[in-house]
Amino acid sequence: MSSTSDDTTIGAGRHLALVDRGGWEYATRVPAREIVAVVAVTERGELVLVEQHRPPVSGPVIEIPAGIVGDDAGRAGESLADAARRELLEETGFRADSLVARGRFVSSAGLTDEVVTFFVAEGVSRVADGGGVGSERIRVHTVALAGVMLWVEAALNRGISVDARVLSALTLVGRVD
């Protein structure tokens, strides 16, 4: 969110800093704090999900496409919608005709000041392979909305973690069954 005069940086790395605010320690992103998440449903009624290895949990995680706004040098003034379009294409190979912002939410208020803006993608079509950029190794899944909770349960039973934003995504498209 925003720093105050009470903030003391305890430690910092390339991407994160640990801050103390009045005795409460939390993590913040360096330099960007804004995150976008994209809820994309294909014309066939499939939710677009990604799977990638996440070092903090030592394994693969099922997520909705998401990423950091303005995290690279050439993207300092990037809009939230432009970041959402970019992340959807980079990670999944899908393009959206339009994106509708559905709200800004905190991701873990006791741990970080990170804010996530959710977009619902409309007119979703595949135009590339996806898979991420650089060292990212993203696997793309398209899962029928009618069976997505069973699919998620099966992933959990195989030992794959599932990001809570997947459930948020289903709420935004009116599908929690």
Side-chain angles (χ1 to χ4, degrees), residues 99-155:
L99 293 167
V100 178
R102 295 296 304 269
R104 296 177 75 229
F105 302 90
V106 294
S107 62
S108 182
L111 175 67
T112 181
D113 62 351
E114 182 174 88
V115 175
V116 181
T117 299
F118 278 81
F119 287 87
V120 173
E122 297 175 345
V124 176
S125 58
R126 184 165 232 155
V127 296
D129 291 335
V133 295
S135 64
E136 293 179 319
R137 300 290 176 258
I138 296 173
R139 184 173 171 200
V140 180
H141 300 281
T142 54
V143 182
L145 280 173
V148 73
M149 289 307 296
L150 289 174
W151 188 90
V152 164
E153 185 177 335

Side-chain angles (χ1 to χ4, degrees), residues 45-168:
E46 299 165 318
L47 181 63
V48 179
L49 297 170
V50 296
E51 177 182 341
Q52 60 185 311
H53 180 83
R54 293 296 194 176
V57 296
S58 299
V61 179
I62 302 293
E63 307 169 339
I64 61 173
I68 302 170
V69 179
D71 58 337
D72 289 334
R75 297 189 186 125
E78 182 176 43
S79 73
L80 296 175
D82 285 345
R85 270 187 205 85
R86 175 181 51 78
E87 290 292 345
L88 180 64
L89 183 59
E90 286 176 0
E91 291 190 359
T92 70
F94 282 86
R95 181 184 65 222
D97 291 339
S98 66
L99 293 167
V100 178
R102 295 296 304 269
R104 296 177 75 229
F105 302 90
V106 294
S107 62
S108 182
L111 175 67
T112 181
D113 62 351
E114 182 174 88
V115 175
V116 181
T117 299
F118 278 81
F119 287 87
V120 173
E122 297 175 345
V124 176
S125 58
R126 184 165 232 155
V127 296
D129 291 335
V133 295
S135 64
E136 293 179 319
R137 300 290 176 258
I138 296 173
R139 184 173 171 200
V140 180
H141 300 281
T142 54
V143 182
L145 280 173
V148 73
M149 289 307 296
L150 289 174
W151 188 90
V152 164
E153 185 177 335
L156 291 168
N157 288 337
R158 291 191 315 274
I160 299 173
S161 297
V162 177
D163 189 289
R165 293 176 199 169
V166 172
L167 297 178
S168 298

